[in-house]
């Protein structure tokens, strides 16, 4: 089957000055290939096709643990918010990602490769109005490793939430759970 645009991005593990509003504005309205490969080029192509064809678009962000998937998704959302003119009122990436600490405690666990490895997938749907301005977002999560609840490999741990609940068992608000 046909595969559209593919961007290979590498997490530099440091902040780079290539994600600001000036860079967003440089990519806005450009054709794919006119600028250097960038998450903003992919976001611009999806945004243009959505507006031109009036069809839903998808961007799949995939990679190894620690590859920068969450950050890449955040930059794409920031791009959409900025070019659609809804950045100041929506701040969509912050609202969608505000639930991340809760999702990580429920869906992350220590593995042999990573102390905070995500064991779930995320599907983020951004809604646009007829003028292509962001009107909302919805995040769905999919627990990928249900067996971890009852079994963990050697040197691995269960989901963080179980340890957090046990560590907090003495708190008055958790007494009714009888964790201790």
């Amino acid at each position: 089957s046909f595969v559209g645009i593919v961007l290979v991005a590498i997490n530099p593990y440091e902040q780079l000055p290539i994600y600001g509003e000036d860079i967003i504005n440089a990519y806005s309205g450009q054709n794919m290939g006119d600028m250097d490969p960038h998450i903003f080029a992919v976001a611009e192509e999806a945004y243009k096709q959505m507006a031109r064809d009036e069809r839903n678009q998808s961007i799949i962000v995939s990679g190894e643990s620690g590859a920068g998937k969450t950050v890449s998704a955040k930059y794409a959302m920031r791009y959409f918010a900025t070019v659609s003119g809804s950045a100041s009122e929506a701040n969509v990436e912050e609202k969608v990602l505000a639930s991340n600490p809760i999702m990580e405690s429920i869906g992350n666990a220590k593995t042999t490769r990573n102390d905070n490895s995500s064991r779930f997938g995320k599907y983020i749907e951004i809604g646009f109005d007829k003028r292509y301005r962001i009107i909302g977002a919805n995040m769905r999560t999919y627990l990928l490793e249900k067996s971890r609840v009852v079994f963990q490999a050697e040197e691995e741990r269960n989901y963080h939430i179980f340890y957090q609940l046990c560590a907090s068992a003495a708190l008055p608000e958790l007494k009714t759970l009888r964790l201790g």
Side-chain angles (χ1 to χ4, degrees):
S1 68
F2 177 77
V3 175
I5 302 147
V6 175
L7 171 70
V8 177
I10 300 170
N11 186 349
Y13 297 101
E14 65 181 67
Q15 290 284 58
L16 297 176
I18 60 171
Y19 299 105
E21 196 165 329
D22 55 329
I23 306 297
I24 289 174
N25 292 329
Y27 278 86
S28 181
Q30 298 295 318
N31 292 317
M32 183 60 70
D34 288 352
M35 304 276 290
D36 289 337
H38 198 288
I39 188 64
F40 294 160
V42 173
E44 171 61 19
E45 189 66 18
Y47 188 76
K48 274 196 316 198
Q49 287 186 26
M50 175 191 66
R52 183 186 64 225
D53 302 338
E54 295 188 357
R55 293 183 58 183
N56 293 338
Q57 300 295 307
S58 295
I59 297 174
I60 297 172
V61 181
S62 178
E64 294 274 331
S65 180
K69 297 177 295 292
T70 299
V71 173
S72 291
K74 178 179 177 176
Y75 287 138
M77 288 185 280
R78 182 175 299 153
Y79 185 87
F80 296 138
T82 302
V83 300
S84 71
S86 47
S88 59
E89 61 205 52
N91 203 3
V92 68
E93 79 274 6
E94 293 304 322
K95 289 180 181 179
V96 169
L97 297 174
S99 64
N100 224 37
I102 295 167
M103 296 311 305
E104 284 189 0
S105 72
I106 295 168
N108 287 22
K110 180 183 179 198
T111 66
T112 56
R113 295 183 65 202
N114 184 339
D115 286 347
N116 194 34
S117 182
S118 175
R119 313 315 297 156
F120 66 99
K122 284 186 259 186
Y123 175 78
I124 302 170
E125 184 175 72
I126 302 171
F128 294 85
D129 65 15
K130 294 291 183 194
R131 295 184 302 159
Y132 313 110
R133 293 170 49 99
I134 293 173
I135 55 172
N138 185 22
M139 181 171 67
R140 294 186 191 116
T141 57
Y142 303 91
L143 193 56
L144 302 176
E145 199 178 42
K146 295 176 185 170
S147 63
R148 184 171 290 274
V149 173
V150 295
F151 173 80
Q152 301 86 48
E154 192 173 323
E155 295 185 36
E156 293 198 354
R157 292 180 53 166
N158 208 328
Y159 293 104
H160 297 327
I161 189 68
F162 295 116
Y163 302 101
Q164 292 166 340
L165 285 170
C166 289
S168 304
L171 294 174
E173 55 266 39
L174 296 181
K175 284 285 190 200
T176 59
L177 297 177
R178 298 179 187 189
L179 299 170

